[in-house]
Structure formats: structure tokens, C-alpha cells
Amino acid sequence: MSEPRSKAQHRRRRSRTALAVGVPLALTAAGTFTYGADLGVLGSSVQQASAAAPAWAAATADGFASVNSLGQNGTYGGRGGKTVTVKTLADLEKYATAAEPYVIVVAGTITMNPVGKEIKVKSDKTIVGQGTAGHIVGGGFFLGQGVHNVIIRNLTIRDAYQGIWNDKDHDFDAIQMDGAHHVWIDHNDLRHMADGLIDVRKDSTNVTVSWNRLSDNNKTFGIGWTQNVKTDITIHHNWIRETEQRNPSTDNAAHAHLYNNFLEDAPGTAIKSAYGNYARGGTKMVLENSLFRGVNNPVIKDSGAAIVQRGNVFSGTSGRNESGGGSAFDPKAYYSYTLDKADALPALLKSQAGPRASIGTTSTAASTKAAAATTLTVAQDGSGQYRTVQAAVNAVPANNPSRVVIAVKPGTYRELVKVPSNKPHVTIRGTGSSRKDTTIVYNNASGTPKPGGGTYGTGGSATVAVEADDFQARNLTISNDFDEKANQNLSGQQAVALRTAADKVFLDGIIVSGDQDTLLLDTASKDRLGRVYVANSYVIGNVDFIFGRATAVVDRSVITLKKRWNGTSAGYITAPSTAANRKGFLIANSTVNGDVSAGTFYLGRPWHAGGDASLDPQTTVRNTNLSAAIKSTPWTDMSGFSWKDDRFAEYGNRGPGAGPASTNRPHLTDAQAANQEVADWLAGWTPSAS
């Protein structure tokens, strides 16, 4: 760069035709891209796996489903039994109702006949969708008295709805339990059923419901329905939206632990919430770090129930929001768990809840994928295959069809690294215990003379340059240690640590360090999309140090501000050069800090690269903790272009550097913010570490 939302009310109903199709766009795209070919090689309607069970088949439940009781030690489903792949109702029912354990992979859409049929699952079963392909249409599953050790995972169960809202004649559920125990319901998409999505009834216990999308229904799920106070249930990381009631309704639960759930009643949608979480009877409920957006009566209880609330966020809610009635219980006395921040949930759950392309692949497919992956080792001491990172990159075959992992042992690698466009699917991963253990560093600047004449220019100064799609960097540091103080004679002080000019770039758990122009997030050309997802990372710099024309997210990361070479505090975090009708930079769920003076840094300014007035630069900073270093007027002009003519905004920020909305500090409305979340930026791509 050249410069430095009483009685349930039912809203307008929309057409249901469109809701009968598919999974969310992002997951559909991921499933088709990665696993689309698998469905064509299954052969018969049932396959038994001959190879060892894949890693997902060995997964076990967390929460109360993990607690040893009633003679059952945790919940592991059909692990140890045969793995079978099914594509017909007859085969699904055959294996789900068998006496012996099975891991049952649903590969495709299975339609229940008659509508409303609920397969009576027996104990010791895992029923899992293959990637995002496993759909159960027009019915679901029933777990009766004494059924135990069941996992229902990665499925879309949908469309038993018979056209009558609050239908009393069609008791069709997605998953119903009557007296079952040790059940794990995980990573499913449950929607548009005739009655409830999940019923946990008649003293069912040791149940965990996690990472599901629950939507488009009258009743989400009910718990209890007896006078006995026996049910132990954990409900976490679920996205509950466009549901009217029972979100959930918890009746006489001995221990109900609800955490990190996102309940959403979006304005203008068809279904209006009557209430959110409801504790009834003798229920003891702990409700932690959940987000309620637009929900009416978000938390309610009757006189006998106890609710302890902590860390929850309520946005645009109305009506009853209650707690008290006793001390409830301590979940950590039963199992360990980790809380995410409530304000991070929309982005997290929109991208991570529901069926995953990486779950449910047959063991044969998983083995093939693993066999196709290649690992190249780098070590300075000669203990690896290569002594430099670039040498390993050079060894990647042109147009490689599958993932190549370059595992770099701890050390400081002073070298320039370029991953050319004809070498996609490359991961550079540090193997040390810390991201600081492995460092790739160099010290070129824009004005540094090139050996053959001329200078490197800003883009050319990058220590690591990535021009190949589907690139990942993990657990390492990428740095440019150009010494500005010692090189004031150079005409260009910009010194890039990492330049990306590709699509689907995932930077996970890394440090990117420099001064001016640290992280250049570019695209291969002006007409090409370039999506970048930076997560769990540190970006360090002072002037325009996150810049470029890519569509990029910095999520759950730390942005560290540095003083200038002369000890002064002044700078700009972002300088987007976004094309019109594209998304620019999104900083979300992060922290801005650093040892700099108060009120000295801007959040950003518009970079109209080359004086191009057609560009429409964009930075949104949301749900982020801002240090006192951020100016009260956090945006500024650049090179004759006013930031007010482009797209700069905040939403839900906090900390001493945050401030109220004003003409000089625009904030998004709730409605606007609903369309500016991580999943919106990634546009169908679901990053997954590999």
C-alpha cells in the first residue's frame, strides 16, 4: 500500500414448498464438494464396512449422556458393531431394530411410509448421516422404555408437517424418547415436523442434545411429563429459530444444564415465539452463556422450579425473563465443559451446527481420503525430508488433487515461501506445542532492492505468499522483521508478512506479525472471489496492517497494536479495497489490544487502490472488545476518498474503545447485523482444519 421477540400468536405463514428441500446452503455446498462422488460408488443399498471403523464412529457423548449410571458407562452407540450403509427404509428399519449393535450410515434420502412413521430403535445403535446427504423425510425415530446407548447424529429429519399448525391428530416427532437413557443427539437439522422436534419423556435421562439446528416448527422439544424428578439432560450449542414454543419446556427435570444455545426470533418471519426456555415443576436448571435474540418471554419458570442464570445475553427480547427459586446445581460436579462467549454464538452456530460433511463417511471413503493425503516433513537439522519450507512446497506435484500437509518442526526458518496457484490443497503446519515454536520470517520491504534490479513492491515483499486455493496455515508464526528505523532511506516501508491471493484460505491458530501492511488479503484478480477465514489467531501491526480486496473474516482472534518505529502511537487497523457488490472485511468476536497510547488508532480507512473510484471498501467490526487505543471517531479518509462514501460500521462492540452510534460512528441495526455474520461472509464455504 502507498499509505501509510401470554398466548402464542402465529404470524403470517409462508409457503412451505421451499422448506421441503435440502440442508443449509453452506453445508450443502461443502457436502457436494467433498463427498459428492461417494454416493455413486455404494453399489447395493447396504454396504458393510470391511475396514476399521472411521474416527467419527468412535465418538462419544459429552454432558449428562457421558455420565455413568443405570448400568451404562457413557454413550458410545454402536461402536464395536458392524458399520452398514443404508439407502432404503427397509434396510434402515432392519438394522435400527436389530438386537445387536450397529453403526448405521444413512446415505441419501429415505422417505417414511406411512407419513409419520417412527422407527423403534433398539439399544446400542449409532444412526448417522453420510456427510450432508442423510435425510429422513416424513417421520423419525422412537426410543422406548429401557432403550439405551443410542447416538443419532448428522441427519436432516424433516417434513412430517400435515398442514395444520399445532396439530393434535398427527403426533409425529423427529425423535421421541419414552423411558430411554443415555442418548446423544448431535449435529442434526430437525425441522418442519407435525408435532415436536425432540420429546424426552417418561423419565428418560442421561441425554445430551448438542450442535443441532432446530427450526420451522410449533414445538421444539419437551422434557419430562411425569411427576418423577429424574431426568438429567444437557442441551448445548443448538441454534433454535422460527419455533413457537417449548424451546425447551422442561418439566420435573432433576438436572437441566442449558448452555451456549442461540434462540432467535427474526423479525418478518412466519413463526412468532411464545416463550423460550421454560422450567416447570421440580426442575432445577442452570442456564449459561446463551443468546436470546428477539424472543418473547425468553426465560420463564413456575413457582416450584429453580433457575440459575449466568452469562446470558438478551437482544431485542420482551416479556418474562426469570431466575431464582433456589441454587439449582453445579454441572461441573457431573462433567467438565467449556463455555463459549454468548455474543460469539450466531457466527459459531451458523457455521458449525447441523450436519457436517466430515461426519458419517464410510470407512472405505475415509481410508481412501487418508491414503490420498500426503505429509512432507521439514526440519532444519536434517531430521525431516526437507530443510526448508520452500523445498517442501516445491516437492508438491503440480495440480495435486488432494491435501498435502507440510509439517514443519520447531525452529526459525529465515526464508521466502511461495505457494503457487497450481499447488492447491496445501497445509503448512507447525508441529511444536506452541504457535511460537515454528517461525517463518524474512525482512523484505516494498523498497528493498531486488537482486536483478528494481524493488520488491508491497505485494512482493511478503515473507509467505499464497496463490493457491484451499490453503491452510496452522500453529505457526509468519513474520516480517524489516527494521524501519534502520532503513528510513528506503522509499517504501511497507513490509508484508503474509499475502494471500486465493480462495478458501484458512488461517487457524497462527501469529502474523509485522509493522506496516502485515497481512495482505488479496484475490487472484479483480474479478475473482477470494475468501479468507482467520480464526484463533494473532495479527500484529500498526499501519493498514490488515488490507486488501479479499472477502475476509477475522474471528475469535487478537489484533495487537504496535507503536511505530520511532516510539509514537498512531495507526490504522484495516484498509479494505473491496470491489462493489462484494463483502470486504469482517472482524468478529475478537479483541483489539496493545501497548499503545489511548485514542491513537483508527479501525480503518478506505483504500481505493490505484485511485479506483468504482471500489466500495468495507470493514465491519462487531462483538469485539476494543481497547482504549481506538479513537472515538474510528474511521478516517484516505487519499482523497471519504470513508462515509464506503461501508464502515460497528455492532455490539464493548470495552473502553467502544462508543455509541453517531454520525461519525455508524452502528448496524439488529436487522442489518443479522446479515453481516461469519456465515454470510463465507458464502457456502465451511472451513475445516485438515
Side-chain angles (χ1 to χ4, degrees):
M1 284 192 52
S2 60
E3 291 191 32
R5 86 172 48 167
S6 143
K7 183 177 171 142
Q9 296 297 315
H10 187 212
R11 285 208 287 250
R12 172 184 55 82
R13 308 277 313 152
R14 66 180 179 276
S15 169
R16 295 282 174 175
T17 305
L19 296 169
V21 295
V23 296
L25 174 61
L27 299 179
T28 303
T32 302
F33 178 76
T34 309
Y35 298 109
D38 292 349
L39 302 181
V41 296
L42 290 171
S44 64
S45 63
V46 178
Q47 283 193 340
Q48 295 190 7
S50 58
W56 56 262
T60 58
D62 59 2
F64 274 115
S66 71
V67 175
N68 300 344
S69 67
L70 301 174
Q72 176 65 35
N73 296 331
T75 303
Y76 48 85
R79 186 181 69 190
K82 292 180 179 178
T83 298
V84 296
T85 301
V86 302
K87 296 195 291 186
T88 69
L89 174 57
D91 287 330
L92 174 58
E93 189 164 22
K94 171 185 173 181
Y95 290 104
T97 61
E100 58 266 45
Y102 278 103
V103 175
I104 305 164
V105 179
V106 179
T109 299
I110 295 178
T111 302
M112 293 299 194
N113 186 17
V115 172
K117 179 181 181 69
E118 294 177 4
I119 293 176
K120 296 180 179 179
V121 180
K122 293 291 183 68
S123 301
D124 305 319
K125 300 292 183 294
T126 295
I127 306 174
V128 58
Q130 184 185 70
T132 59
H135 286 230
I136 307 298
V137 179
F141 299 102
F142 176 83
L143 284 62
Q145 185 67 42
V147 170
H148 59 276
N149 192 30
V150 173
I151 297 173
I152 298 176
R153 234 184 147 203
N154 216 53
L155 289 166
T156 297
I157 306 178
R158 58 179 173 87
D159 297 331
Y161 181 70
Q162 297 297 291
I164 300 174
W165 193 250
N166 203 8
D167 195 337
K168 304 297 185 183
D169 297 321
H170 300 97
D171 185 12
F172 303 159
D173 302 312
I175 302 170
Q176 180 174 327
M177 301 169 225
D178 280 4
H181 66 92
H182 287 89
V183 180
W184 184 26
I185 301 171
D186 178 69
H187 276 296
N188 300 290
D189 182 354
L190 309 180
R191 50 186 160 91
H192 201 201
M193 300 298 288
D195 189 50
L197 298 178
I198 303 172
D199 272 357
V200 183
R201 312 192 315 170
K202 299 184 179 180
D203 302 334
S204 294
T205 192
N206 294 101
V207 176
T208 297
V209 180
S210 58
W211 295 99
N212 300 285
R213 292 178 175 231
L214 308 172
S215 67
D216 191 30
N217 221 67
N218 180 10
K219 305 167 186 174
T220 306
F221 60 108
I223 302 162
W225 315 122
T226 76
Q227 295 303 308
N228 304 318
V229 183
K230 290 187 175 181
T231 298
D232 289 347
I233 186 166
T234 303
I235 302 166
H236 73 86
H237 289 97
N238 299 282
W239 182 17
I240 303 172
R241 70 191 194 283
E242 292 191 72
T243 54
E244 186 168 310
Q245 56 179 312
R246 300 184 185 175
N247 293 301
S249 174
T250 310
D251 182 44
N252 285 325
H255 305 100
H257 184 203
L258 284 62
Y259 70 91
N260 282 152
N261 298 296
F262 175 32
L263 280 71
E264 182 179 30
D265 185 351
T269 53
I271 301 168
K272 186 69 175 174
S273 59
Y275 59 85
N277 296 165
Y278 189 3
R280 307 192 302 176
T283 293
K284 291 186 176 181
M285 178 183 291
V286 174
L287 175 58
E288 300 183 283
N289 284 36
S290 289
L291 174 61
F292 299 76
R293 179 181 289 168
V295 177
N296 293 295
N297 303 306
V299 185
I300 60 177
K301 61 180 287 294
D302 64 17
S303 60
I307 299 179
V308 170
Q309 284 201 47
R310 50 186 176 238
N312 302 304
V313 172
F314 300 88
S315 174
T317 60
S318 61
R320 296 164 63 184
N321 184 354
E322 300 167 339
S323 59
S327 59
F329 64 98
D330 179 7
K332 290 186 176 178
Y334 298 88
Y335 52 82
S336 62
Y337 63 99
T338 301
L339 292 169
D340 286 308
K341 294 180 180 179
D343 55 14
L345 293 175
L348 178 64
L349 297 184
K350 286 183 179 183
S351 64
Q352 301 295 325
R356 310 294 293 162
S358 58
I359 301 174
T361 57
T362 63
S363 57
T364 301
S367 298
T368 300
K369 184 179 177 76
T374 300
T375 298
L376 307 177
T377 59
V378 177
Q380 290 175 315
D381 62 5
S383 61
Q385 297 165 278
Y386 305 94
R387 289 183 179 269
T388 68
V389 179
Q390 187 61 53
V393 172
N394 293 343
V396 176
N399 303 309
N400 51 297
S402 57
R403 177 69 53 188
V404 176
V405 177
I406 298 174
V408 187
K409 294 187 178 183
T412 299
Y413 297 79
R414 182 161 287 277
E415 59 173 300
L416 297 172
V417 177
K418 181 179 180 180
V419 184
S421 61
N422 65 345
K423 296 189 178 187
H425 321 305
V426 167
T427 296
I428 300 178
R429 174 175 57 84
T431 64
S433 59
S434 166
R435 68 192 96 197
K436 296 181 180 179
D437 291 346
T438 303
T439 298
I440 306 172
V441 58
Y442 212 74
N443 62 346
N444 281 340
S446 176
T448 300
K450 295 173 68 174
T455 59
Y456 283 97
T458 300
S461 70
T463 299
V464 175
V466 176
E467 298 177 352
D469 291 346
D470 194 25
F471 172 84
Q472 299 187 6
R474 299 170 59 200
N475 194 43
L476 50 79
T477 296
I478 300 172
S479 177
N480 191 316
D481 63 355
F482 170 71
D483 187 343
E484 286 190 67
K485 185 175 183 178
N487 290 278
Q488 283 297 295
N489 60 306
L490 291 185
S491 60
Q493 303 290 311
Q494 303 87 348
V496 177
L498 173 61
R499 175 175 70 91
T500 70
D503 190 30
K504 298 182 180 177
V505 173
F506 186 16
L507 308 176
D508 180 27
I510 71 171
I511 299 171
V512 188
S513 178
D515 287 306
Q516 183 174 347
D517 291 15
T518 303
L519 179 58
L520 172 50
L521 303 173
D522 208 350
T523 65
S525 62
K526 288 184 179 181
D527 60 343
R528 291 279 301 277
L529 178 65
R531 289 165 293 180
V532 181
Y533 183 57
V534 184
N536 308 305
S537 294
Y538 291 80
V539 185
I540 303 167
N542 48 40
V543 175
D544 302 331
F545 62 98
I546 303 174
F547 72 110
R549 66 187 176 205
T551 295
V553 178
V554 179
D555 186 22
R556 292 173 289 155
S557 294
V558 177
I559 296 170
T560 301
L561 311 176
K562 289 178 63 176
K563 291 181 179 178
R564 304 293 298 276
W565 65 271
N566 58 4
T568 61
S569 294
Y572 317 83
I573 297 175
T574 67
S577 57
T578 323
N581 302 314
R582 285 238 177 109
K583 293 187 182 297
F585 293 163
L586 174 64
I587 297 173
N589 316 307
S590 294
T591 296
V592 176
N593 62 20
D595 184 17
V596 295
S597 301
T600 56
F601 272 75
Y602 291 97
L603 289 176
R605 56 183 182 169
W607 179 32
H608 285 257
D612 188 348
S614 71
L615 299 180
D616 193 12
Q618 179 183 32
T619 296
T620 297
V621 181
R622 60 173 299 163
N623 307 114
T624 288
N625 193 300
L626 304 178
S627 78
I630 300 304
K631 290 176 174 284
S632 58
T633 54
W635 313 104
T636 190
D637 302 340
M638 184 177 185
S639 300
F641 289 92
S642 171
W643 69 269
K644 292 184 178 182
D645 294 332
D646 294 313
R647 297 173 291 169
F648 293 90
E650 296 177 80
Y651 179 78
N653 293 325
R654 59 196 181 277
S662 69
T663 302
N664 291 315
R665 191 161 198 169
H667 285 209
L668 301 176
T669 65
D670 288 347
Q672 290 171 328
N675 293 314
Q676 292 199 32
E677 292 177 344
V678 173
D680 302 307
W681 249 252
L682 300 183
W685 170 43
T686 304
S688 178
S690 58

